[in-house]
């Protein structure tokens, strides 16, 4: 049968099983100038043919929650810059990542963006776009800078309810949310109760309970549930949509579900660590537990089950890595001297940009917990829709960027750090066995990683200006 669309093609991916968030069909994918131009049979002729027989052809992963080159406190250095972070993303089957651009106190957003763009420019293997972190919501930031930046394509920002120097008061959160409502941007919230964490941390330290394990004890589930409830309530007061990121447990998940059932535009995200790790992992000998210190912390089996239900029942719309890498055996990382005196000083965050897709595929699709379409939605399509990149990104359709991952659903791999090509010196998933692995990652028609080899060029990854999210518009704007 001839190709459906008789347009010139410079690359054909032949005979794969193409899967989107809604469809599955065996066909060729025709690409020209980095875009998908045809879906059909016997496309061509062209010299550049990739045989995808027995492979799934999926939209490239979009990881909408990663941290690269983020300032992390005195003496601490994040393990990935844009080069190593986007390289590792490509090894994990991702074609777009959304890192955070952190505003320091007293800094303008434009200053922060200038620095961050300079770090990213010419250094990326996959496409990138930034969320802003609003740490200093002054009148001029909220009144002038932010509205202009939203119009310029920085259409999402994160606020923190905890962390010294980052935590916003409820008053400040309301002001940020009001700006989001006015501008049509999407607010992402790190929901943990700062005062409760400070109180528990002081108490644990006084009792000499300072090992990494006590990080998890210092921020138990109610700390997250309360802040999640409060963030939702504040968003309801303002009538603005909100995304609760890195949800780790049932209490927080049920808060989101209840809000959704009441018709509020509240969205949720969970991450691999909340499906696979528990607080027991922080119990390692000596400082080994520091490898698993992240916030919110991994919890217990029941919490894992709750996160699965959130994924299965669409309480969560995105599954992200929260890749926030520090080296372990390094005084600028997890073994920072102060961290030995108390968990309070162990850098928060774990690597995971390269393991997100294999973990969800193996634990989710291969084990029958979710179907392949939900996998695609959770790892690519919903990220593009949530953050203003759809339909250019996140799907396989004529006109979309040719961002694809060829996926072997049967390949069995034991995860080891050498496979991941990030800047850290460990993975929390060392020895974890998965079924399903990315074989080839293609960004705008160009292969970046093939059979475990880097073939892409640094600098090919481009900065993406985003539209406003279709999910970020307040209810009243739609006249609902
Ligand atoms: N919050 C994040 O979003 N990532 C890593 C650490 C944190 O607290
Ligand atoms: Zn966070
Ligand atoms: Zn994060």
């Amino acid at each position: 049968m001839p190709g459906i669309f008789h347009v010139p093609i410079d690359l054909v991916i032949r005979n794969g099983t193409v899967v989107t968030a809604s469809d599955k069909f065996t066909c060729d994918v025709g690409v020209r100038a980095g875009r998908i131009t045809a879906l059909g049979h016997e496309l061509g002729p062209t010299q550049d043919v990739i045989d995808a027989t027995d492979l799934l052809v999926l939209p490239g992963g979009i990881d909408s929650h990663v941290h690269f080159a983020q300032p992390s406190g005195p003496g601490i250095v994040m393990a990935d810059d844009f080069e190593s972070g986007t390289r590792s993303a490509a090894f994990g089957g991702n074609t777009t990542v959304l890192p955070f651009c952190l505003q320091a106190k007293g800094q303008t957003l434009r200053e922060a963006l200038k620095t961050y763009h300079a770090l990213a420019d010419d250094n990326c293997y996959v496409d990138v776009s930034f969320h802003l972190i609003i740490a200093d919501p002054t009148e001029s930031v909220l009144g002038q800078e932010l509205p202009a930046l939203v119009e310029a394509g920085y259409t999402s920002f994160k606020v923190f309810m905890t962390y010294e120097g980052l935590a916003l008061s409820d008053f400040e959160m309301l002001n940020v949310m009001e700006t989001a409502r006015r501008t049509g941007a999407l607010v992402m919230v790190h929901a943990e109760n700062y005062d409760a964490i400070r109180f528990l941390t002081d108490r644990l330290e006084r009792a000499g309970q300072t090992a990494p394990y006590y990080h998890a004890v210092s921020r138990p589930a109610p700390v997250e549930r309360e802040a999640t409830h409060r963030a939702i309530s504040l968003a309801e007061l303002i009538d603005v949509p909100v995304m609760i990121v890195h949800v780790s447990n049932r209490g927080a998940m049920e808060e989101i579900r209840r809000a959704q059932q009441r018709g509020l535009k509240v969205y949720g995200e969970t991450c691999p660590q909340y499906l696979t790790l528990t607080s027991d992992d922080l119990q390692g000998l000596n400082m080994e537990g520091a490898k698993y210190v992240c916030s919110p912390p991994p919890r217990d089996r029941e919490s894992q089950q709750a996160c699965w239900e959130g994924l299965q029942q669409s309480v969560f719309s995105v599954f992200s890595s929260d890749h926030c890498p520090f080296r372990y055996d390094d005084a600028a990382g997890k073994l920072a001297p102060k961290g030995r005196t108390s968990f309070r000083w162990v850098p928060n965050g774990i690597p995971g940009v390269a393991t997100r897709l294999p973990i969800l595929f193996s634990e989710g699709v291969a084990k029958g917990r979710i179907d392949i379409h939900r996998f695609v939605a959770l790892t690519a399509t919903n990220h593009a829709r949530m953050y203003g990149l759809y339909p250019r990104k996140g799907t396989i359709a004529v006109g979309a960027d040719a961002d694809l991952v060829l996926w072997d659903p049967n390949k069995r791999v034991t995860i080891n750090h050498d496979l991941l090509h990030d800047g850290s010196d460990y993975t929390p998933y060392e020895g974890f066995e998965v079924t399903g692995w990315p074989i080839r990652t293609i960004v705008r028609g160009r292969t970046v990683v093939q059979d475990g080899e880097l073939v892409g060029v640094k600098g090919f990854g481009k900065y993406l200006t985003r539209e406003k999210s279709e999910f970020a518009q307040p209810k009243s704007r739609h006249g609902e």
Side-chain angles (χ1 to χ4, degrees):
M1 185 170 83
I4 297 170
F5 301 95
H6 297 278
V7 287
I9 281 172
D10 46 37
L11 165 70
V12 172
I13 297 151
R14 245 195 238 304
N15 282 329
T17 302
V18 172
V19 185
T20 69
S22 54
D23 297 301
K24 184 174 185 174
F25 35 87
T26 300
C27 72
D28 300 342
V29 181
V31 176
R32 181 168 169 80
R35 295 211 171 197
I36 297 171
T37 51
L39 298 168
H41 295 282
E42 297 173 27
L43 296 180
T46 176
Q47 295 208 315
D48 205 353
V49 175
I50 297 172
D51 180 17
T53 306
D54 296 333
L55 297 177
L56 303 178
V57 181
L58 310 177
I62 301 176
D63 195 339
S64 59
H65 187 153
V66 302
H67 304 262
F68 300 151
Q70 189 172 301
S72 304
I76 304 296
V77 180
M78 193 161 271
D80 277 316
D81 55 17
F82 279 85
E83 178 179 353
S84 61
T86 57
R87 180 181 65 210
S88 184
F91 274 93
N94 300 284
T95 51
T96 297
V97 290
L98 277 72
F100 292 86
C101 171
L102 171 68
Q103 175 200 26
K105 279 251 192 278
Q107 194 183 33
T108 67
L109 296 173
R110 286 195 190 279
E111 282 163 358
L113 278 168
K114 194 170 168 205
T115 307
Y116 217 52
H117 273 291
L119 292 169
D121 279 356
D122 301 324
N123 282 321
C124 295
Y125 287 96
V126 303
D127 287 348
V128 301
S129 189
F130 306 155
H131 309 288
L132 298 162
I133 291 176
I134 311 296
D136 202 0
T138 61
E139 251 181 64
S140 68
V141 163
L142 298 187
Q144 289 152 35
E145 272 210 294
L146 206 44
L149 290 171
V150 172
E151 292 310 312
Y154 302 93
T155 54
S156 50
F157 35 85
K158 183 177 177 189
V159 291
F160 283 79
M161 298 172 80
T162 190
Y163 288 133
E164 196 173 337
L166 279 179
L168 301 190
S169 66
D170 292 353
F171 183 78
E172 289 171 317
M173 294 259 296
L174 287 163
N175 274 310
V176 172
M177 287 176 170
E178 202 280 327
T179 305
R181 186 180 194 287
R182 210 161 15 94
T183 57
L186 185 63
V187 185
M188 309 160 78
V189 180
H190 178 126
E192 289 184 294
N193 180 315
Y194 184 37
D195 282 338
I197 293 168
R198 283 165 59 194
F199 173 83
L200 292 170
T201 300
D202 285 350
R203 207 166 68 174
L204 287 163
E205 284 183 343
R206 277 201 300 274
Q209 294 178 315
T210 56
Y213 172 70
Y214 293 100
H215 170 79
V217 182
S218 75
R219 36 217 316 153
V223 161
E224 184 184 343
R225 187 191 63 224
E226 184 280 330
T228 302
H229 179 86
R230 187 156 35 103
I232 292 169
S233 302
L234 299 180
E236 184 177 6
L237 288 178
I238 302 293
D239 178 26
V240 70
V242 69
M243 162 66 77
I244 310 293
V245 294
H246 47 48
V247 176
S248 73
N249 71 92
R250 182 173 298 282
M253 187 275 280
E254 294 292 359
E255 291 289 346
I256 297 169
R257 194 210 301 272
R258 264 195 297 280
Q260 291 170 345
Q261 285 169 344
R262 289 197 296 121
L264 299 180
K265 293 192 171 188
V266 174
Y267 309 107
E269 171 200 79
T270 192
C271 314
Q273 49 272 38
Y274 306 120
L275 302 180
T276 55
L277 304 177
T278 69
S279 58
D280 288 348
D281 290 300
L282 279 81
Q283 288 273 22
L285 279 180
N286 300 317
M287 287 295 287
E288 280 282 311
K291 290 181 175 175
Y292 306 90
V293 166
C294 61
S295 296
R299 302 198 185 275
D300 57 13
R301 299 267 168 238
E302 208 305 292
S303 300
Q304 292 179 351
Q305 174 55 28
C307 289
W308 277 114
E309 288 172 29
L311 291 171
Q312 290 162 332
Q313 297 163 14
S314 299
V315 177
F316 301 138
S317 42
V318 287
F319 183 74
S320 310
S321 68
D322 196 3
H323 179 82
C324 185
F326 299 95
R327 287 172 56 78
Y328 172 67
D329 193 7
D330 197 320
K334 294 288 190 179
L335 294 189
K338 270 175 96 177
R340 292 181 191 269
T341 68
S342 169
F343 61 85
R344 186 199 286 262
W345 304 110
V346 174
N348 274 225
I350 60 175
V353 72
T355 42
R356 176 184 71 124
L357 297 183
I359 287 174
L360 189 65
F361 187 90
S362 186
E363 292 294 306
V365 181
K367 292 193 176 171
R369 290 176 166 122
I370 57 172
D371 71 20
I372 185 69
H373 304 292
R374 184 97 191 110
F375 173 82
V376 169
L378 285 166
T379 56
T381 316
N382 290 357
H383 299 252
R385 295 186 65 192
M386 190 61 65
Y387 296 109
L389 289 169
Y390 190 84
R392 176 176 172 196
K393 304 288 191 187
T395 193
I396 300 178
V398 170
D401 281 356
D403 289 351
L404 305 164
V405 56
L406 307 193
W407 191 272
D408 183 343
N410 300 311
K411 184 165 169 150
R412 300 179 69 129
V413 174
T414 303
I415 292 177
N416 102 48
H417 183 247
D418 289 345
L419 297 172
L420 309 180
H421 303 272
D422 60 18
S424 189
D425 58 354
Y426 79 99
T427 166
Y429 308 106
E430 189 74 33
F432 197 90
E433 294 186 4
V434 291
T435 301
W437 196 256
I439 298 300
R440 188 163 179 147
T441 306
I442 300 170
V443 177
R444 287 179 278 109
R446 286 267 289 274
T447 297
V448 180
V449 169
Q450 183 179 353
D451 297 321
E453 296 293 328
L454 184 68
V455 297
V457 179
K458 189 177 81 165
F460 182 72
K462 289 281 172 283
Y463 186 79
L464 304 168
T465 300
R466 289 180 286 123
E467 302 292 322
K468 291 179 188 173
S469 165
E470 60 191 275
F471 293 95
Q473 308 317 310
K475 270 198 298 188
S476 41
R477 287 192 179 197
H478 290 298
E480 289 169 5

